[in-house]
Amino acid sequence: MSDAHGAHAHGPTSFWRKYVFSTDHKVIGLQYMITAMVFLMIGFCLMLLMRWQLAWPGAPIPFFGRLFPADLAPNGVMSGEFYNQLGAMHGTIMVFLGIVPFAVGGYGNYVLPLQIGAPDMAFPRLNMASYWLFLVGGVVMLSSFLMPGGAAQSGWTSYPPLAVINPGQTVWLLSMVVIITSSLLGAINFLVTAANMRAPGMTLWRMPVFCWSELVASVLLLLAFPPLEAAAVLELMDRVFHTSFYMPAGLFVLGHPIHVSGGGQPLLWEHLFWFLAHPEVYVLVLPPMGIVAEIIANNTRKPLHGYKTIVWSMIAIGVMSFIVWAHHMFISGMSPALSNFFLVTTMIISVPSVAILTCLIFSLKGGSIRFTTPMLYALAFLPLFGIGGLTGLPLGLTVTDIYLHDTYYVIGHFHFVVVTGSILALLGGTYHWFPKWFGRKMNDTLGKIHFWGSVICMIGVFAPMFPMGLAGASRRLYDPTAQVHNLVVQPLNVVSTVFAYGLFLFQLPFIWNFFHSMFRGEKAEENPWQATTLEWACPSPPPHGNFEKTPHVRRGPYEYSAPGRKTDYWPQGDPA
Amino acid sequence: MNNIYGYGLPVAASTYASKIDFGIWLIHAAMITIFVLWSIFFAYLLIKYRRRPGVPARREEHSGELASLMPDIVVMLFEIGLIVFYAIPVWGKIKMTLPPARDSVLVNVEAEQFAWNVHYPGPDGKFGATKESLIRFSNPIGLDSSDPAAADDVVVANELHLPVGKPALIHLTSLDVIHDFFVPAFRIKQDIVPGMDIPIWITPTRVGHYELACAQLCGFGHSLMRGDVYVQSQADYDAWLKSRAAAKPKTAPATEGF
Amino acid sequence: MTTTAATANPDTHTGITNAKLGVWLFLCSEVMLFATLFTTYIVLRLSATTWPWGWDALNVPLGTLNTAILITSSVTIVMAYARAYDKDLKGFRFWMAATLFLSFAFLVVKGFEYHGEFSKGIWPSTSVFYATYFTLTGLHACHIIGGIIVNSTLLRMSYKKECWEHPLFLGRVEGAGLYWHFVDIVWIFLFPALYLI
């Protein structure tokens, strides 16, 4: 792939140092991305199994059913324990091993140093360490399926006391500690890189929106993850040393008393968990927003509307996200008076989110819109993420949340945010930056098939969840038909499942396109999209050390269609 | 129960159900309006500003910053209205005030994996004492039969009977893990946390047979954790309570093991 | 390594070296970690029906000794930095070794303390108080071990000429010193919270 440039600078030449134990941010970025894609696919497949059980409860799983051990799937029929394992692992894998490493570890690593004109990350060896910690954590997490007692089965939220008494949780907690450590190292690295390593002339207000989004996400990771790490250590103590941080006295499980000293509080875990997990949502969402902003500016051929508004909104979201966590806990049994406070902060945080979306739409005005494949993803992001945002409103409002909490409405809401929002943007980013990564373009026709198939199927999977939630169908039910009030809306579960299988099929062209184009795709030059930001000013793929000589930045990131110029783009590093 | 559930919200069968439904429909009306207007604008932009040969992008064709903040201002005003006039007052009424105990039907509900134990004080209106050491399969709440107040107590599994039109004050406790008391027709949902005693109240407005379900993942049998709610006329309810109190063995066998 | 050239460049936007900025950010996340643990301590203590008084439940003399040891070690690591600043190799080695000796002494005293409790049949599962005590002091001890690894690496590096004369060496000592002070400060909070009040 990069043989032409491999000898450039003083990069390592042995295969192992160059592609496996590399300290080059670009190799680490691709390692992160490909690993995260594999984890996303695994997490998705777990969900496909669950969707079978949800659509046709009690029916044996075709083809694969017999492959599972008899205690997990007797006669090919999924058991309740197995269903709960799949559910907990689906959530954990998608969030902690899929989207965050994809968006932050992958795109952040590859694109951020290039966009600010740095030769590498600030701490290349630390960067390698965080990738390998992430991989080890992820593999340990997956291996928990093979351990006695199986994988964690208390939901990705791991509420005690269930998580303390259920089998499988210890491995989950241990691998979470490893993954969190990896994220912390990564976050420190991004912050130092963005603070110190910018090319001359690259002031903060000349940084592309994507860099800002990674910066805010890194601050969130840095400050929100340690509380979960502490909480996980305490839950580990409860499980391994039988302490009572989260365990009240006098519990009986299936008629048997649990002998612990008591004095702990289950709600303490919920507070600590959501103190992380709400900022985490913005870690999932902000970098994709940044990607969408890049693609939109490039394909409308004009500057973003309200660049500073977008950046300030992202910062505001980052700050506010630390004081909204308990809107996940309106009916958890915490003081109802507290709910009013979190209701108000939740409504406040919606304001900057609306501002970002509005700016992105207004950016289309006056443009000359090219409907390239990445642009299709960016455009689809806008209305679909909008649905995700709007449906958050009845959930963030205390009164309506009483009814909608923990129903399929919640599932629909956050999947619209995270799947048709984040994942769509991440896929769009792949089509956008692929020429930079490999010096070749992805196939356009296959990209469009992938796009339309994915978008239609995603809507088909998640839209039926809103009427289901309104009818009162709860989430995390192994057998939805066991409850009478779910029976009427059960056909919607079948619809969801059919579209989920369709979504799987439409990923196949993408996988083929990705690997085929890597070697056989149409050759791309340095700047195939006629873009302005710095990553397009170095060769594709960039050599070790990135820039042949340190770029000097002379203007803002989105100088498209500047009056009085021959071309409609004016790269940041071009001499005046 | 077939005419109670369907597409859309289930039948509203408690005094505050209609208040919650009002919020849900209002927000959905607003959401759909916003989304439709917004989609029209979006489609208009895509068509008008598509790439055409010879037509360059015009960067001066920006609306002012203020115009782009208009949607924000509209959304913010709507949200402030919702908070001040709807969410805070209604929330205060549902979750922060309780009916006086002497005018209410008193019930203790103790959740365990995967059943609901419903404890009525019986005709004397006093709950018998419960002790952890007495918890058995046959006595899931550990009712102390030596307590005179316990003599007429009624304990039933997975069945909740309530008289129509009278507030019920329900104390929720859990024996093992976090459960959630959810009756869709009443629009009530409340987590039940072990180590805590959480009171809720309901005034049923409609005689009927409804479903009680656990809404918080509580283990492998979570989806099976359901119960039946019977809202009856006061007379039917009294008759039921009396028959249960009479049918109960006077002394629970104290030595029964598992 | 081409990459060290980038790291070594002191001409940064913030005027602070990468390593120093990185250590400070790491300490920010550490503050969040221990803040969470202290919050847990406060929440559990406020809701507890009984909470033993540290004087009755723990070995206060040994705890006091450990406090003195750690505070002294903070002084010795500052001395080590000052010697490194003056390019005094022998002085640096002496004070760094003293710091390492004190950190091992801390762990040994801690070991005696734990042993005393275990021999009385006291375990983390005995009560929430002991759970908090063992978890907080245990995590703190892990941080001490981390500090020992960093400090002994620096001491070993000072025996290699190219490391000792490396322009970044002083910055590394400074980073280790910042971290060590943080570990010290955590103990200054832990000691009264668990042993005295």
Side-chain angles (χ1 to χ4, degrees), chain A residues 80-81 84 153-155 159-162 165-166 248-256 266-267 270 300-306 309 330-334 336-337 339-340 343-344 347-348 350-352 354-355 357-359 361-362 364-371 379 382-383 386-387 390-391 393-394 397-407 409 467 470-472 474-479 482-486 488-489 491-492 558-563 568, chain B residues 1-2 5-10 19-21 23-25 27-28 30-32 34-35 38-39 41-42 44-52 55-59 61-65 67-72 75-76 78-79 82-83 86-88 90-92 94-96 112-114 132-133 135 137 174-178 180 182-185 187-196 198 211-226 258:
Chain A
E81 286 92 341
N84 287 348
Q153 43 175 295
S154 314
Y159 282 2
L162 186 66
I165 61 175
N166 254 355
L251 297 188
F252 283 74
V253 173
L254 299 172
H256 296 277
L267 281 188
E270 292 190 30
T300 52
R301 315 306 297 164
K302 60 182 275 295
L304 277 182
H305 176 94
T309 312
F330 286 151
I331 60 156
S332 68
M334 72 169 187
S339 300
N340 282 333
L343 160 70
V344 173
M347 293 298 140
I348 293 174
S350 71
V351 172
V354 174
L357 218 54
T358 316
C359 284
I361 293 157
F362 271 72
L364 301 174
K365 208 170 166 223
S368 165
I369 303 172
R370 299 189 307 207
F371 292 96
L379 290 174
L382 298 173
I387 294 177
L390 284 169
T391 50
L393 194 56
L397 208 68
T398 45
V399 177
T400 41
D401 185 58
I402 297 175
Y403 180 70
L404 293 174
H405 189 89
D406 270 344
T407 62
Y409 201 91
L470 287 173
S474 293
R475 62 193 289 199
R476 292 175 171 172
L477 292 178
Y478 158 64
D479 180 358
Q483 300 183 352
V484 181
H485 69 275
N486 295 335
V488 184
V489 289
L492 292 178
Y558 306 114
E559 288 301 317
Y560 289 102
S561 304
D568 68 347
Chain B
M1 289 202 248
N2 285 339
Y5 309 108
Y7 286 92
L9 298 169
K19 293 201 176 91
I20 294 179
D21 293 358
I24 292 177
W25 291 132
I27 293 173
H28 277 85
M31 267 159 52
I32 292 168
I34 293 174
F35 188 73
W38 192 90
S39 301
F41 180 57
F42 184 58
Y44 159 79
L45 289 178
L46 291 187
I47 295 166
K48 173 146 191 223
Y49 296 106
R50 70 187 185 277
R51 160 162 282 193
R52 279 163 298 171
V55 184
R58 279 149 305 177
R59 50 195 269 160
E61 210 171 292
H62 269 319
S63 321
E65 291 277 308
S68 67
L69 289 179
M70 275 310 283
D72 238 340
V75 169
M76 209 159 73
F78 178 64
E79 285 178 351
L82 273 180
I83 291 176
Y86 176 67
I88 290 180
V90 178
W91 176 260
I94 298 176
K95 288 280 183 183
M96 290 165 76
E112 64 172 318
Q113 282 178 332
F114 302 96
E132 273 168 33
S133 57
I135 292 177
F137 270 141
S174 166
L175 204 54
D176 38 42
V177 300
I178 301 178
D180 188 298
F182 178 36
V183 182
R187 309 287 187 275
I188 183 68
K189 187 175 280 176
Q190 175 61 55
D191 275 8
I192 311 173
V193 184
M196 291 173 79
I198 301 168
E211 186 163 50
L212 159 67
C214 180
Q216 180 68 267
L217 180 66
C218 61
F220 61 89
H222 169 52
S223 64
L224 303 173
M225 185 166 168
R226 59 173 298 284
F258 291 107

Side-chain angles (χ1 to χ4, degrees), chain B residues 125-212:
Chain B
K126 278 191 204 141
F127 286 106
T130 55
K131 281 187 187 158
E132 273 168 33
S133 57
L134 294 174
I135 292 177
R136 302 278 183 281
F137 270 141
S138 59
N139 186 6
I141 63 165
L143 189 64
D144 183 1
S145 54
S146 63
D147 180 5
D152 62 346
D153 282 15
V154 171
V155 180
V156 288
N158 301 326
E159 249 180 67
L160 178 66
H161 290 253
L162 296 174
V164 70
K166 194 174 172 188
L169 182 58
I170 304 176
H171 282 263
L172 301 171
T173 53
S174 166
L175 204 54
D176 38 42
V177 300
I178 301 178
H179 297 277
D180 188 298
F181 182 92
F182 178 36
V183 182
F186 293 161
R187 309 287 187 275
I188 183 68
K189 187 175 280 176
Q190 175 61 55
D191 275 8
I192 311 173
V193 184
M196 291 173 79
D197 178 334
I198 301 168
I200 57 165
W201 68 278
I202 310 159
T203 307
T205 53
R206 188 176 171 280
V207 172
H209 174 196
Y210 307 102
E211 186 163 50
L212 159 67

